Amino acid sequence: MVRGAVLNLFAALWLLALLNQPFWSALWESVGGWHASRAGFLITLPVFALVWVWTVLELLTWGRAAKPVLCIVMVLSAAVAFFMHRYGIAFDRGMVANVMETDPAEARELLSAGMVLWILGLGVVPALVIAMWPRAPQGVVGTLTEKVVTLAGLILVVGAILVFQSGSYISLFRAHRDLRLQFVPTNYLSAVQGYAKVKLKPKREIEQVSLGATRVASDPATQRPMVLVLVVGETMRAANLSVNGYERETTPLLAGRKSLVNFGRTGSCGTATAVSLPCMFLDVGRGGYEDGMAFRRESLLDVLQRAGMDVWWLSNNSGCKGVCDRVQVVDVPATLPAGACGPGGCQDNVLIDALKKRLESVQRDTVVVMHMKGQHGPAYYLRYPPEFERYGPSCRDNALDRCGPEQVVNAYDNAVSYSDYILDKTIDALQSQANRLDSSMVFVSDHGESLGEKGMFLHGMPYDFAPTVQKEVPFMAWLPQATRDRLQIDAGCLASRRDQLSHDNLYHSVLGLTSTRASTYRDDLDVFAPCRTGSVIAANAKGGKP
C-alpha cells in the first residue's frame, strides 16, 4: 500500500518525464543550453518543476476523490500533451474556448489512430495503475497531517531554491512567460479555470450601442437597393496569397478583378475564431475586447439592422460566437439533403447557391454575411474539390507532422486557390444582379495559420507569442464603378492604405460603406472615409443619439 503523497510523487514524475517534452525543449532553448557558470540554476530546474507539479497534485487530491481526480488528470494531460507535441501549440484559455466551441465535424478531423494509442499508453494505462494500486487507509486527521507535512516540505524546497537562485528564476519567467503555457498539467488547469470564470459570470442584458443609428438616404435618382456581401474567411493567412506577393498563383481570379482593392496584410484581433470573429464585429477593438463580449454587447450587425437594413448570416462554419444572435441566420448545410456534403462537411460552394437565392429576393438595402469554411485545418485537403488539386503531392493526413513540409503547404495552397474561386463566384453573383442592385463585397479572414514553421502547426497561440503568419490576414473590397460613383469613393486613394490596417478597421469601415450614422462610428478607423466626399463623412461622424 502507498500513501497519497507517494502516489502523487509517482504521478508527477510520469507527467514530467513523458508528457512534457515540448516544455523541456522550450526551456532548454530559453536558458541557452548548458553553461558551467550556471550549473546551480540548471540543476535545480527539474527539481523545481517536480516540486511544482507535486504541489499541484497535492492540492487537487483529497480523500476518496483523490484517485478519480488523479486518473482524470493523467488522461487529460496525455491528450493535451499529444496536441502540443504533434502541432506545436501552447495551451491557454483561448485554446480551451476553441475546444469547447468546435463542432463535431471539426473535432473528428483531429482524431487519429496515433492519438488514440498515445492517450491509451500515456494516459489511460497509468490511470488504471493508479486506480488499482492499493492505498493506505487514512482518516481525516491522518490525511490533513500528511498534506500539511508534505506541502510544508515542498514549500521549503522551493524556498531554498529561490533563496540561492531567485535572480535566475525571475529573469527566466519574465523573459519567457510562454513557458507556463507549455507546462503540463498546470497550463490546461489554469486555462480551464480562466474559461470557467468567464462562462460563469452572471448573465446580464445585452448592452445596446448606437440606439439612434440611422442611414443616409439612398440616392433618389436611382432608388436601387444597396447590397453589401461581407465574406468572413476561415484560417486564411495573408502570406499565401499571390495578390500579396506570394510566389505561387493562388489568387489569379481575384488578381484579374479590376474593381478589387487589396488592403494587403492586415492585423487580426486574435489567433483563433473564438476571439477574432466576435472581436472584429464589435466597436471596442482588440485593445478593449474581452472573452464572451459578443454575447453581452451589440455587434455591428445589430447596428446595421437598427439603422434599417436587412441583415442575413449565411453560415458554412460552426457558429458565430454571439455576433449573429439577433439577425436572420441560415445554417446552409442544414438546408441541404442528407448526404449532400462529404466527410469534411460542405465545401464553400454551397454558400454561393445560398447567396444567389438571397439576392433574388432583395427588395431593400441589405447586408449578407457569408461565413466560410475556408482553410480550416488540419484536413486542408477536404476543403476543396479534386479539380483544385493544383499543387502536389498534398498532405492527406490530419497528423500534419507525418507529412513533409511541402505537402502541408501544397494542401493549404490548394484550399486558398479554392477560396479564390469562391470569392470570384461571389462577385459573379453580385454582377448578375447589376441591373437592379448596387453591390459591393468585403472579404476579411479571422486569423492565419502555421504550416510547420519552427515545428508549429494550426493556430490559436497566445497573441503575444504567436508567429506573424497567425496574426496577418487578407482584407480586400470589391467596389464596381456604379457603387463607387454612388458613394463617391476614389479607388486609387484606397490602394494607398495597403498593409496599414487591422481588424479594428472593419466595424467602422462597414458603417462607412453602408452610409450608416452611429455614435460608435470613428472616421479615423473607416478605411473608406479619407477617400469619400466630405459631406458623407460629416454625416456619419455626427452619429446617432446613444
Side-chain angles (χ1 to χ4, degrees):
M1 292 187 180
V2 296
R3 291 187 173 273
V6 177
L7 202 58
N8 285 336
L9 171 60
F10 288 150
L13 287 169
W14 181 276
L15 292 170
L16 286 177
L18 298 177
L19 299 180
N20 267 291
Q21 186 273 328
F23 167 76
W24 292 119
S25 297
L27 177 63
W28 197 244
E29 183 178 349
S30 298
V31 299
W34 176 262
H35 295 279
S37 61
R38 306 179 69 196
F41 167 58
L42 296 175
I43 290 173
T44 64
L45 282 172
V47 178
F48 188 91
L50 174 62
V51 171
W52 185 266
V53 176
W54 190 357
T55 301
V56 170
L57 296 182
E58 287 293 333
L59 294 173
L60 288 175
T61 53
W62 293 85
R64 293 181 179 179
K67 277 190 175 183
V69 168
L70 202 55
C71 291
I72 291 171
V73 168
M74 298 304 286
V75 175
L76 287 179
S77 296
V80 170
F82 172 81
F83 288 103
M84 291 178 60
H85 184 273
R86 170 143 290 177
Y87 297 115
I89 63 173
F91 214 89
D92 67 346
R93 187 173 66 189
M95 194 62 69
V96 175
N98 293 339
V99 172
M100 299 302 294
E101 297 174 22
T102 296
D103 66 20
E106 292 174 353
R108 283 194 297 270
E109 292 176 6
L110 295 170
L111 301 177
S112 66
M115 183 191 76
V116 173
L117 291 174
W118 176 293
I119 295 177
L120 283 175
L122 297 179
V124 175
V125 169
L128 290 174
V129 171
I130 290 171
M132 294 185 294
W133 201 297
R135 180 175 172 176
Q138 293 174 288
V140 175
V141 175
T143 298
L144 288 175
T145 301
E146 182 185 82
K147 288 287 184 186
V148 171
V149 171
T150 303
L151 289 172
L154 294 173
I155 291 171
L156 284 175
V157 173
V158 170
I161 291 174
L162 293 180
V163 164
F164 296 101
Q165 300 294 336
S166 60
S168 297
Y169 276 92
I170 291 173
S171 176
L172 175 66
F173 293 141
R174 281 182 175 175
H176 302 282
R177 290 178 296 167
D178 55 317
L179 287 173
R180 64 184 175 81
L181 303 175
Q182 302 179 65
F183 191 43
V184 177
T186 57
N187 56 352
Y188 72 82
L189 291 174
S190 175
V192 169
Q193 184 270 338
Y195 179 79
K197 184 178 179 180
V198 171
K199 288 297 183 182
L200 293 176
K201 279 185 178 180
K203 291 186 177 180
R204 56 190 189 188
E205 291 185 6
I206 298 294
E207 182 180 357
Q208 295 181 317
V209 299
S210 296
L211 291 179
T214 58
R215 297 186 59 243
V216 176
S218 297
D219 184 353
T222 62
Q223 292 299 319
R224 290 150 55 93
M226 287 192 66
V227 174
L228 166 64
V229 175
L230 176 55
V231 185
V232 179
E234 171 68 59
T235 320
M236 182 183 282
R237 65 189 221 175
N240 284 55
L241 275 67
S242 54
V243 292
N244 289 334
Y246 188 50
E247 62 272 14
R248 283 179 166 174
E249 288 293 329
T250 52
T251 52
L253 299 176
L254 291 175
R257 291 288 184 175
K258 294 182 179 180
S259 295
L260 186 79
V261 179
N262 176 26
F263 296 118
R265 298 168 187 259
T266 297
S268 67
C269 281
T271 61
T273 305
V275 174
S276 279
L277 185 63
C279 178
M280 72 170 80
F281 278 89
L282 294 178
D283 61 298
V284 297
R286 192 175 80 84
Y289 179 75
E290 298 176 358
D291 286 350
M293 184 175 279
F295 291 102
R296 56 183 187 271
R297 184 182 179 88
E298 287 186 332
S299 74
L300 169 64
L301 304 186
D302 294 295
V303 177
L304 294 171
Q305 186 166 253
R306 181 176 293 118
M309 302 191 77
D310 281 342
V311 182
W312 290 83
W313 184 281
L314 308 181
S315 180
N316 188 34
N317 208 311
S318 55
C320 65
K321 318 305 179 189
V323 168
C324 66
D325 285 358
R326 292 164 295 280
V327 300
Q328 301 169 95
V329 178
V330 179
D331 180 358
V332 178
T335 66
L336 303 176
C341 302
C346 290
Q347 293 168 348
D348 284 329
N349 61 294
V350 298
L351 289 172
I352 303 301
D353 296 333
L355 175 63
K356 289 178 179 178
K357 293 179 182 177
R358 180 55 39 210
L359 292 177
E360 290 171 358
S361 63
V362 166
Q363 298 297 323
R364 63 177 190 154
D365 294 352
T366 300
V367 172
V368 179
V369 182
M370 289 169 46
H371 192 191
M372 300 175 69
K373 194 77 166 181
Q375 289 66 238
H376 196 285
Y380 308 122
Y381 68 96
L382 295 177
R383 303 291 166 249
Y384 56 88
E387 58 267 28
F388 281 83
E389 187 79 14
R390 296 173 180 173
Y391 306 107
S394 61
C395 180
R396 306 189 71 78
D397 194 324
N398 59 5
L400 297 177
D401 60 334
R402 291 207 296 250
C403 296
E406 70 287 347
Q407 294 176 319
V408 175
V409 174
N410 286 343
Y412 185 84
D413 285 349
N414 289 334
V416 172
S417 294
Y418 185 57
S419 290
D420 175 57
Y421 167 81
I422 295 299
L423 293 172
D424 188 66
K425 288 300 179 186
T426 300
I427 294 173
D428 281 346
L430 291 171
Q431 286 185 321
S432 71
Q433 299 289 330
N435 63 324
R436 67 183 198 90
L437 304 176
D438 287 330
S439 58
S440 58
M441 182 195 78
V442 171
F443 169 69
V444 62
S445 186
D446 56 356
H447 55 78
E449 186 87 328
S450 287
L451 300 176
E453 299 90 354
K454 296 183 179 180
M456 192 180 301
F457 294 94
L458 304 180
H459 53 267
M461 286 289 289
Y463 200 90
D464 291 340
F465 313 118
T468 300
V469 290
Q470 291 191 26
K471 297 187 288 187
E472 284 190 347
V473 298
F475 186 8
M476 56 189 70
W478 174 77
L479 302 169
Q481 188 64 51
T483 300
R484 295 201 304 271
D485 291 344
R486 177 169 173 171
L487 298 177
Q488 300 177 9
I489 292 177
D490 180 357
C493 169
L494 290 177
S496 67
R497 303 298 304 277
R498 187 180 175 97
D499 300 330
Q500 300 177 26
L501 307 181
S502 73
H503 273 165
D504 289 3
N505 294 97
L506 181 67
Y507 181 100
H508 308 279
S509 298
V510 170
L511 289 181
L513 191 59
T514 56
S515 301
T516 301
R517 296 174 176 175
S519 61
T520 51
Y521 172 80
R522 288 178 53 184
D523 63 344
D524 60 313
L525 291 175
D526 177 2
V527 67
F528 303 105
C531 304
R532 300 177 69 176
T533 61
S535 60
V536 176
I537 298 173
N540 284 345
K542 289 179 182 178
K545 296 180 181 180

